[in-house]
Amino acid sequence: SSYDEKALAMVSSLETCAVSYFMERIKEKTGALNMGQSIHQTQVLVVEDHPIMRKALSKLFHEHGFPQVDAVENFDKAVKRMAKGDVGLLVTDTRLPFGMTGIQLTETVRSDDSLPSQPVIIGISSDKSPGLASAYEHARADLFLPKDQALDLPEVAEKLLIQRFKNPPASHSPS
């Protein structure tokens, strides 16, 4: 119907505006960093169910000097991608499809002794629940960041990666 077509056109227009706005903000932030070459080569995995946000986060890392970025939309694909053993930075949304969460993904990765090394893990969410940061901390994520601070992700990730590089964990077994 004509109403459905207008509604779809409006949604498409809003999505285009949102992506354009986010990309402009990325461009404003680009160039503010001067990352070391070894940090640049870190394999990044973004786990985000919303396709526009997944694309925007991937582009954010690309434009800040991280050329190796993979992005998946759910827990199972993330676990499968992590099994390759080369991910150095995992950025995961909290709410994932099929009732899974980024906190569960963090716990799964942290308990995987088959990984050659443990990645830096940053949990993100638009949910403002007060217990999220502590839930990620309990799951042994390196950091929780609200999505409204997502433009800071590359800078924050760089600092965490440098810290990890300087002080690698002795073991990734639970403490």
Side-chain angles (χ1 to χ4, degrees):
S1 79
S2 175
Y3 179 78
D4 289 340
E5 289 172 7
K6 286 179 183 176
L8 284 173
M10 183 184 286
V11 167
S12 178
S13 176
L14 286 172
E15 287 179 348
T16 301
C17 288
V19 169
S20 295
Y21 173 76
F22 199 72
M23 293 306 167
E24 285 303 312
R25 293 283 292 137
I26 289 170
K27 286 177 188 173
E28 290 171 16
K29 286 263 188 174
T30 302
L33 301 176
N34 185 11
M35 296 185 209
Q37 192 60 28
S38 63
I39 300 302
H40 275 124
Q41 297 309 312
T42 299
Q43 175 66 55
V44 178
L45 177 60
V46 173
V47 186
E48 167 64 60
D49 61 319
H50 193 279
I52 293 172
M53 189 66 173
R54 188 169 56 246
K55 184 176 183 176
L57 288 171
S58 295
K59 185 154 179 69
L60 178 67
F61 278 101
H62 277 291
E63 293 205 1
H64 279 80
F66 288 86
Q68 301 180 65
V69 181
D70 287 339
V72 298
E73 66 272 12
N74 65 46
F75 179 95
D76 290 338
K77 288 182 179 180
V79 169
K80 185 175 182 179
R81 178 60 189 84
M82 287 298 303
K84 289 185 180 180
D86 64 341
V87 174
L89 173 63
L90 171 62
V91 177
T92 181
D93 188 19
T94 299
R95 290 190 189 131
L96 300 174
F98 313 115
M100 301 305 287
T101 69
I103 295 163
Q104 291 168 305
L105 178 59
T106 300
E107 292 169 340
T108 299
V109 169
R110 289 295 189 234
S111 64
D112 187 348
D113 291 330
S114 71
L115 294 175
S117 65
Q118 282 288 309
V120 166
I121 301 176
I122 301 174
I124 60 172
S125 183
S126 54
D127 184 347
K128 303 280 187 179
S129 299
L132 271 181
S134 63
Y136 272 104
E137 183 180 349
H138 183 72
R140 294 182 292 132
D142 293 275
L143 186 70
F144 168 75
L145 199 65
K147 274 191 185 171
D148 61 6
Q149 296 175 29
L151 290 175
D152 297 330
L153 270 168
E155 294 172 43
V156 170
E158 178 191 24
K159 289 176 185 171
L160 290 170
L161 288 164
I162 290 169
Q163 183 180 351
R164 176 67 58 89
F165 183 74
K166 288 180 179 177
N167 304 305
S171 163
H172 57 262
S173 59
S175 47

